[in-house]
Each structure stands twice: as C-alpha cells, then as structure tokens.
Amino acid sequence: MPPVTIVLQASASLLVAGAAVLASLGMAWALGASSNSPPFAPAVGANALPTMRAAFFIGTFAALGALAQGGSISETVGKGLIDGVSISPLAAIAALLTAAGFIAIGVRTGYPIPAAFATTGAVVGTGLALGGAPAYDTYQRLGLFWVAVPFVSATIAYVTATLLRREDVPEELSVSLLSAVVGFVLANVEFTFIPAASGTGTLADYLSRLLGGAPALFGSYDAFAFGTSLVVGVLVFVFVRREMRRSVDAGIRKFLIGLGAIVAFSSGGSQVGLATGPLEPLFDSFGTPGIVLLGLGALGILLGAWMGSPRLLQAVSREYSQLGVRRSIAALIPGFLIAQTAIALGIPFSFNNVIIGGVIGSGLVVGSAGVSSRKIGFTVLAWLGTLVGTLGVGFGLYRGLALVVGA
C-alpha cells in the first residue's frame, strides 16, 4: 500500500476518533444540562437554595460522582450490550447522535426521554449494524431492573412519606433516622479512590481490612464492616438530630440540601457511562486508563450543569414546590438507594423512572399521586418508543455514515 494512502487512512481514522470524542463530550454536556436537575430541585422549590448556587452544586457533585463511581456502567454500555464485535468510533458517533437526538425531542415535547433507554437502544442498534449478536442475558437483566424501578421507588417513597407524616413520631427523630440510613448506605458504596483487593472498594470494607478483618456475617461482609457502617450512620444521625433540635424547619432544609448533593453525586455516577460507554473500546485500544475517559465525561457533565441546568432547574423546582419539603425528601430517598444499586450492578438506568415513581409513591400517602394518569401513559409509551426508535435509527444512521466514509 502506498505511503500516501496509509497516511490518508490514518488521518481519517484520527478524524473519526476525534469526532467520537466530541460526540461523547456533547452527550455528557446534554446529560449535565438535563438529567441532573431533580436532586436539587426540591431545595430550590423550598427556597433553601438559590438557583445559580444549586446549578453550581449540581455540576460539582455530579462530576465528582462521575469520576468516583462511573466505571461500572460505562463498561456495561461499551462492552456488555452487544456480543461478537467492539463498538467502533464511527458506531459510537452514530449511537451518541441518535441518543442525543431523542433526548432533545423529549425536551422539546415535554415528555422526559430516559437517557438510559435512548443510549441502550442506540448502542444495540449500531452494534447490530456492525454485525454483532444480541446480548440476551444483559437485556434480561436490564429489563427486569427497569420494570422494577418505578414500583420499588414508589414503595420506598410511600414508606418514607408515611414515616414523615406520623404524628406519634417527632420530625426531628424521623428525619434523623432517615439520615442515619443514608449514612449507613454511604459507608457501603464503592468508590474508585478507595483501594480494594480487586476493583473498587467501600469505606466499610477498607476499614475492616485495616483492622485485620473479622468473622463474616454473610458472604464477604464481616462484623468490622457492619460496625463501620453503624458508626457512620450514628454520626450522621447525631449531626442531623442536633440541627433539627436547633430549628426543625432549618434542619429539614439542610437535610434536603445534603440529600440533594448525595443524589446528584449518585446521578453523575450512574449517568456518565451513557456518554462514555460507547468510547470504551476506543480508549482500551490506546491503553488509556479508564479514569481519563471518566474525566472526559465528568467535564462534559460539569459544563452542561453550569451552563444549561438553571432554566430546567427553575421549571422542575416549581413542580417540587407543590410537593412540599417532606414529600420531596420521600421522592429523593429512593433515587439515592436505586442509583447506588444500579451502579453496584453496572446497570444503566434513568432518574426519570425513579423520580416519577417516587412522586407517585409519596403522593399516595395523601390520597393522590399528583401526576396525571394520562401523562403517565404517554410517558410509558414514550419510553417504549425510545427503545425501539433508537435501535432502528442507530442501525440506519451507522449504515449511512459507513457508506459516506467508506467504512
């Protein structure tokens, strides 16, 4: 092959790879601008936090979550949705453009399009166009999780809202107990910066290994890890209880802001893989550490939240202000728990599913879900249409791009 031809082919490959990186950055920007607003919307709606400060916090915490927890979902999206082939840079471009286009349609029409559904369908479509085979085991796992999410979210929100409304349980105690649960769970979530025997580690596991380990309670989870989790939960309980005793309303608002920060962090960890996953094979081929790819996604989410989330944040906060502070807490608790479960399992999912389920569950306590059944029906149809539509569009778009560039 003539040297000129080799140089031209290498240049074209680099251009396609660069375009794929830009598409990933753009997708991350869109996710930061649209998908990370719900965690802080209740605090804005309750006048506990100004809009611009909330947007700053959204970007900061979501970006940190992307760096600290985004690896598992990124790997699933990039390598687990199709068998037999690797997602090429051109296929990544087609998948990311398809997903971003459907999300934009959702924003335009007012029906939230789950980014996880859009990205999953688009990646599967482009993978099939590449000649890959369906990864049925992965699809079954994703489908079961997605179907369960709204029901689990509604149940957790209902139980939480019921606890907060009980007259025989003082609010300072009920809110403090909820904060203790959040602290206990935080001690058991995985972070990339915590060393582990293999993969990422948790605070509870790390301290247990430092102490020499203890008899296992179940699986590899031992008494020292459980004790560490209890200590973290008690410390959070004591802090929130002290704030609540000073002022119940101020304490609840501080808890709402803290919960928003944790959920935004979890959101970044669960969403960044939707933007970075299609680039996993490309970065692996260059031997690039995974943290570099996550850093690219975190940067996009940060810029998107800072630049694009204030307007959406104001719109979403108006809906949350109608819920009230306590129902908002009840709607966010399942968001945190389900997001961390999804991250641990490496399952891409959308916060839209969780938040809608949480709002419905917390609303059932007062006898009304506060959400139009007609709109719920349209939303479910939009979700199903997203999966089918992105699969078809992704397939066709990749084939079209491949014809244009001669791939």
Side-chain angles (χ1 to χ4, degrees), residues 126-175:
T126 55
L128 293 176
L130 277 168
Y136 290 113
D137 289 343
T138 301
Y139 305 157
Q140 183 179 21
R141 194 160 53 98
L142 295 184
L144 290 174
F145 190 87
W146 288 346
V147 170
V149 160
F151 299 100
V152 174
S153 177
T155 301
I156 296 173
Y158 179 84
V159 173
T160 304
T162 300
L163 174 63
L164 291 174
R165 286 178 59 86
R166 287 192 59 159
E167 296 181 356
D168 57 335
V169 180
E171 277 192 324
E172 67 177 58
L173 177 59
S174 60
V175 173

Side-chain angles (χ1 to χ4, degrees), residues 89-135:
L90 188 63
I93 293 172
L96 291 167
L97 289 178
T98 299
F102 271 74
I103 292 171
I105 292 173
V107 172
R108 180 75 174 177
T109 59
Y111 284 96
I113 300 297
F117 286 23
T119 304
T120 298
V123 170
V124 171
T126 55
L128 293 176
L130 277 168

Side-chain angles (χ1 to χ4, degrees), residues 25 28 59 62-67 272 276 293-304:
L25 188 62
L64 291 174
L67 285 170
V272 68
T276 60
L293 180 56
L294 293 179
L296 174 72
L299 176 63
I301 285 176
L302 180 72
L303 295 176

Side-chain angles (χ1 to χ4, degrees), residues 3 28 44 87 89 121 197 200 206 211 229 246 290 294 324 354 373 403:
V44 174
I87 301 298
T200 56
Y206 178 67
L211 295 172
S229 306
R246 290 177 180 175
L294 293 179
V354 181
S373 58
L403 287 175

